[in-house]
Amino acid sequence: MSKEVVLDCLGEACPVPLIKTEKAMSTLAAGDVLIVKIDHSCAMKNVPEWARKQGHNVEIEEVDDGEWECIIEKV
């Protein structure tokens, strides 16, 4: 059974959200989902870019003005 993990990176600037995302993804199994909460435009570019390069499925939802959830499914 896959699990869902929420990573709160609100208020954190690059490269912190990316480092936290990489660390969290390394603990997950295939099929697990990591939801990264981001409110920094630099991280909004880096995190999905990194995840796609790793071959993961990535979706981005804008939950508020200037606040996003980057949903990464580990493959």
Side-chain angles (χ1 to χ4, degrees):
M1 173 131 176
S2 62
K3 66 178 176 179
E4 202 173 89
V5 177
V6 177
L7 183 62
D8 187 349
C9 292
L10 298 176
E12 294 177 348
C14 288
V16 176
L18 182 58
I19 292 166
K20 286 188 168 183
T21 299
E22 287 182 29
K23 194 173 178 186
M25 286 300 284
S26 70
T27 68
L28 298 179
D32 288 349
V33 173
L34 180 68
I35 300 170
V36 188
K37 294 177 178 271
I38 300 171
D39 61 359
H40 200 267
S41 58
C42 169
M44 206 37 244
K45 186 180 167 294
N46 294 353
V47 172
E49 210 171 72
W50 170 84
R52 287 190 181 107
K53 276 188 188 144
Q54 303 299 311
H56 305 305
N57 298 323
V58 180
E59 271 181 55
I60 295 162
E61 282 179 24
E62 188 163 3
V63 289
D64 206 351
D65 192 32
E67 196 176 297
W68 302 271
E69 285 185 354
C70 182
I71 301 150
I72 307 166
E73 183 191 352
K74 185 162 185 173
V75 292

